[in-house]
Amino acid sequence: MTVVTPEQHGLKAHSDGGWDASEKGFVPVQTRSARPRSFEHTDFAPVNGLEAEWKLTPVKLIKPLLDDALDGAPYAIDTDAPEGTSVEWVARDDARIASAGAPEERASANAWTNFEQALAITISGEEHSTVRISRSELGNTARAGHIVITARAHSNGTVIVESSGSALLSENVEVVVEEGATLNFVSVQDWADDAIHLASHFVQVGRSATLKHTVVSLGGKVVRVNPSVHLSGEGADGELYGLYFADAGQHLEQRVYLHHEAAQTRGRVNYKGALQGGGARTVWVGDVLIGPNAAGTDSYEQNRNLVLTEGTRADSIPNLEIETGDIQGAGHASATGRFDDEQLFYLQARGISEAEARRLVVIGFLSEIVQKVGDEQLEARLHTAIEAELEGTIS
Amino acid sequence: MSVLSVKDLHVSVETEQGTKQILKGVDLEIKQGETHAIMGPNGSGKSTLAYTIAGHPKYHVESGSITLDGAEVLDMSIDERARAGLFLAMQYPVEIPGVKVADFLRTAKTALAGEAPALRPWIKEVNGAMKALRMDKTFSDRNVNEGFSGGEKKRNEILQLELLKPRFAILDETDSGLDVDALKIVSEGVNRAQESTGLGLLLITHYTRILRYITPDFVHVFVDGRVAEEGGPELADRLENEGYDRFLTDTSVA
């Protein structure tokens, strides 16, 4: 008698790789900090869209930024830099460049290979000051950008970078928060409908330093902002916030990486998003790594998505790696859902119409992040922008 | 004179085990200025009555009616009921993240009045009402019910009762979880509201202790979805001494 063993259904190598690693003699990346890094575009293989890094991104739309030579020249900016701060364009060999990190993917490396000058923002005063940069004239040329933000030891400041207009931009943003400094960095992507923007933020937070990092993405066709924050000095504190509102046809992505490297560090990640309209798409990946030396770590990350209409898709992927047992706490949470009926009932039971109640709940949901921005002028503008977004669905 | 009238009300909810009848023919009439206490054991349908009057979508009215001065309340949406003069102080008020108490109160007042209240007198009124309820001024800058203690949530409900000035208010176990000081403060607020507006009150409670501070004109005992006994304030005293045992002997409620 012959026994026929049927082939197991679905028994084949997974597109992520690693499944058949032993046959191919290669070991997949074991931990978030072990991803290959390089400043050279050519060190990263062409992207086919199946890679874990890219599989949730509309790769076709970002081709030029992945593969083509990019224009790395300085662009027009509006600057408000008070005393105790400076804003200048610096050459590639400036000492501040490559002090915070290195690209881990092809678009980021392409920007690094191609940028000609970096926009250097420095905060040195101990009295709080706010630097405002706005850029709106990048146009449709495929560009490479580079920004370095340095908060000198014991300085205290806010840096707000606001982007609008059209763009086809891949850029790297380096942020170094030196010992005892307090930096509040807000990156606002309110691009025009056709804009494509890929950004990698590399952040080092030093001993007893405090960073607040906020990503606000409202406008643009494809916006992908990936902050990698290393709490590298003992007692470093990092709060990472995000706010996004995707309309029909928009792709808004954020891959957040928080690395507790040193002991006694505290990290909070909270990203909130709303989606409305056919094809509105958001991606949030939150990687938290608590390293072997990060004793006493206190960490929590969460992502919340509010789905306002049919036809949207929100991916939310929290990952937590812990390499030491000696921590205070670590947690993660993710939820994607429609309106909370009990909240609507409560508001309606006070005479507020259903439409107005929905508006209040959405604005309230996103306001939790707006309230963290820490700049009155910008907070007011964000409230207005969210109200304007909502006029599309709720009437 | 305004009258809130409940007639032969049958209400069910959907549960995992199927449709469950909760109210099995409730009759009740509350006139303006009157205080009615509804008492009864857990699961007897007290809160269901409260939420059905307010219009919570979870509860299905099978038959019967609820009228306010002859107008059918069951035909109104939740917010229309509030605008008609009904108010429910909830047992578990929900948190509304990102919406500040001050903005919420003003939005509700505007919705009820049909126009925004004049700013200065309104702020004065809000501050006065908060002070009377021993609520700190910073309260109005906090998000609605977010991080509030149990007592703070209840005070916030009574704050709304005083400011929104309904004609009829249902207080759903407002006394539960309050210490004696908070209970007194909250009760004073309810009495103030009744004195100033002639509010009709439906007090839903498991215990008699709130009735020491808010004197009912009528007491209704709810058992298994019906009014099992009615009387004056003396009925509450009897319940205080005897509990609900005598009502439970021949029903399924344990």
Side-chain angles (χ1 to χ4, degrees):
Chain A
M1 196 172 94
T2 324
V3 178
V4 181
T5 312
E7 222 170 85
Q8 188 184 325
H9 181 72
L11 186 71
K12 58 179 184 186
H14 196 275
S15 63
D16 279 355
W19 187 90
D20 54 351
S22 55
E23 287 164 37
K24 292 188 175 166
F26 110 106
V27 180
V29 171
Q30 296 293 301
T31 182
R32 181 61 179 83
S33 57
R35 289 192 189 170
R37 273 175 272 176
S38 171
F39 298 111
E40 289 304 322
H41 179 222
T42 49
D43 286 346
F44 293 91
V47 171
N48 62 26
L50 296 176
E51 301 85 353
E53 177 66 37
W54 295 108
K55 66 179 182 182
L56 301 172
T57 313
V59 167
K60 273 185 196 159
L61 297 174
I62 62 168
K63 271 271 179 226
L65 299 177
L66 288 166
D67 300 334
D68 298 356
L70 306 176
D71 178 353
Y75 45 81
I77 54 168
D78 277 332
T79 308
D80 178 10
E83 212 185 308
T85 70
S86 71
V87 176
E88 58 192 326
W89 289 96
V90 299
R92 283 181 68 94
D93 58 1
D94 188 277
R96 285 166 286 189
I97 287 167
S99 55
E104 292 180 349
E105 39 86 349
R106 190 169 159 95
S108 169
N110 198 20
W112 204 297
T113 302
N114 282 289
F115 85 91
E116 288 165 18
Q117 290 189 343
L119 182 65
I121 302 162
T122 307
I123 308 265
S124 41
E126 290 195 19
E127 295 289 322
H128 180 267
S129 45
T130 302
V131 176
R132 292 170 205 277
I133 309 274
S134 64
R135 50 186 184 180
S136 56
E137 291 163 30
L138 271 68
N140 293 315
T141 313
R143 283 177 189 276
H146 200 104
I147 297 175
V148 277
I149 299 169
T150 313
R152 294 287 180 216
H154 307 294
S155 68
N156 184 2
T158 295
V159 174
I160 298 169
V161 176
E162 282 188 80
S163 305
S164 55
S166 295
L168 180 54
L169 170 70
S170 179
E171 73 175 340
N172 294 297
V173 177
E174 294 188 79
V175 181
V176 175
V177 189
E178 295 180 358
E179 189 170 333
T182 300
L183 176 68
N184 176 21
F185 174 44
V186 188
S187 179
V188 182
Q189 290 71 235
D190 195 10
W191 298 106
D193 289 343
D194 63 343
I196 291 173
H197 179 209
L198 306 179
S200 294
H201 293 190
F202 306 101
V203 188
Q204 296 289 340
V205 187
R207 190 185 171 85
S208 302
T210 303
L211 165 81
K212 189 155 72 173
H213 180 283
T214 308
V215 177
V216 180
S217 293
L218 300 172
K221 174 83 183 152
V222 179
V223 178
R224 184 175 131 129
V225 178
N226 299 348
S228 295
V229 175
H230 302 267
L231 301 175
S232 43
E234 196 176 318
D237 188 301
E239 293 185 357
L240 281 54
Y241 298 112
L243 164 64
Y244 47 94
F245 199 127
D247 293 318
Q250 269 189 300
H251 177 98
L252 304 178
E253 179 168 349
Q254 30 265 310
R255 290 170 178 256
V256 185
Y257 169 31
L258 176 63
H259 185 188
H260 292 267
E261 243 181 291
Q264 308 299 332
T265 56
R266 176 183 168 274
R268 290 290 180 274
V269 179
N270 189 5
Y271 272 63
K272 292 183 114 176
L275 300 89
Q276 69 179 2
R281 178 89 163 84
T282 66
V283 176
W284 178 84
V285 179
D287 296 334
V288 171
L289 171 60
I290 300 172
N293 302 320
T297 288
D298 173 9
S299 188
Y300 196 83
E301 66 164 345
Q302 70 165 339
N303 174 226
R304 297 262 184 270
N305 295 298
L306 190 55
V307 174
L308 305 180
T309 66
E310 300 288 324
T312 67
R313 174 172 165 175
D315 284 87
S316 179
I317 307 168
N319 299 306
L320 181 54
E321 281 182 86
I322 306 178
E323 297 179 330
T324 173
D326 184 16
I327 61 169
Q328 270 192 40
H332 57 185
S334 159
T336 298
R338 301 190 60 106
F339 284 102
D340 179 338
D341 290 338
E342 296 302 321
Q343 291 182 348
L344 292 180
F345 173 73
Y346 188 81
L347 294 169
Q348 285 179 266
R350 299 299 179 250
I352 297 166
S353 69
E354 187 179 345
E356 175 72 2
R358 282 177 191 276
R359 203 183 65 85
L360 275 178
V361 169
V362 181
I363 289 173
F365 173 80
L366 296 174
S367 287
E368 188 192 343
I369 304 297
V370 177
Q371 288 168 359
K372 306 275 191 202
V373 163
D375 181 82
E376 253 179 59
Q377 205 179 316
L378 181 58
E379 284 178 23
R381 269 214 306 291
L382 292 177
H383 273 296
T384 312
I386 293 168
E387 297 259 3
E389 293 271 0
L390 274 177
E391 274 176 16
T393 30
I394 298 168
S395 51
Chain B
M1 182 180 283
S2 277
V3 180
L4 177 65
S5 173
V6 177
K7 285 204 177 77
D8 196 27
L9 191 67
H10 289 71
V11 174
S12 66
V13 288
E14 295 301 323
T15 68
E16 281 171 19
Q17 288 81 41
T19 305
K20 191 180 177 216
Q21 296 295 324
I22 305 204
L23 299 186
K24 301 168 181 173
V26 174
D27 291 287
L28 206 61
E29 189 170 283
I30 307 164
K31 297 195 176 73
Q32 212 173 348
E34 290 179 351
T35 300
H36 293 242
I38 292 192
M39 306 191 62
N42 291 327
S44 59
K46 306 186 299 287
S47 287
T48 298
L49 176 66
Y51 279 85
T52 304
I53 295 173
H56 195 289
K58 184 175 150 193
Y59 300 97
H60 306 293
V61 176
E62 311 260 313
S63 62
S65 76
I66 303 171
T67 55
L68 177 57
D69 297 337
E72 183 53 74
V73 170
L74 294 173
D75 294 340
M76 302 178 192
S77 65
I78 306 163
D79 48 308
E80 281 169 350
R81 295 177 195 207
R83 290 199 293 273
L86 297 177
F87 180 92
L88 170 63
M90 298 188 201
Q91 186 180 358
Y92 303 109
V94 294
E95 299 184 356
I96 320 265
V99 177
K100 288 181 180 170
V101 169
D103 295 336
F104 163 64
L105 290 174
R106 197 151 187 274
T107 305
K109 188 69 183 177
T110 304
L112 290 170
E115 57 178 0
L119 201 56
R120 275 164 172 268
W122 172 247
I123 289 172
K124 207 175 153 192
E125 196 181 342
V126 172
N127 288 342
M130 285 190 9
K131 199 175 168 194
L133 287 165
R134 324 271 206 285
M135 292 164 85
D136 194 85
K137 264 193 175 173
T138 56
F139 228 85
S140 52
D141 277 331
R142 291 170 66 184
N143 293 331
V144 177
N145 293 323
E146 199 178 61
F148 285 20
S149 69
E152 286 174 332
K153 284 183 181 172
K154 296 297 171 68
R155 280 184 223 198
N156 189 34
E157 294 294 287
I158 302 310
L159 175 69
Q160 294 166 49
L161 172 68
E162 288 201 66
L163 291 169
L164 302 180
K165 300 185 173 41
R167 282 193 285 164
F168 289 94
I170 305 153
L171 308 189
D172 186 18
E173 308 223 2
T174 295
D175 51 336
S176 66
L178 292 183
D179 63 29
V180 67
D181 294 326
L183 181 61
K184 278 186 199 169
I185 291 166
V186 160
S187 302
E188 282 167 19
V190 174
N191 289 331
R192 263 197 311 274
Q194 192 167 39
E195 275 161 31
S196 68
T197 63
L199 175 70
L201 267 179
L202 191 59
L203 272 179
I204 290 176
T205 179
H206 185 81
Y207 305 103
T208 52
R209 61 186 202 125
I210 195 172
L211 305 180
R212 284 178 226 148
Y213 307 101
I214 304 173
T215 315
D217 302 305
F218 303 94
V219 174
H220 312 264
V221 182
F222 244 58
V223 179
D224 194 26
R226 286 189 192 89
V227 177
E229 192 168 339
E230 293 177 294
E234 72 288 346
L235 181 55
D237 296 333
R238 196 172 160 202
L239 289 171
E240 166 106 353
N241 296 326
E242 299 175 6
Y244 297 111
D245 282 356
R246 71 188 165 95
F247 297 104
L248 299 177
T249 48
D250 54 11
T251 70
S252 59
V253 180

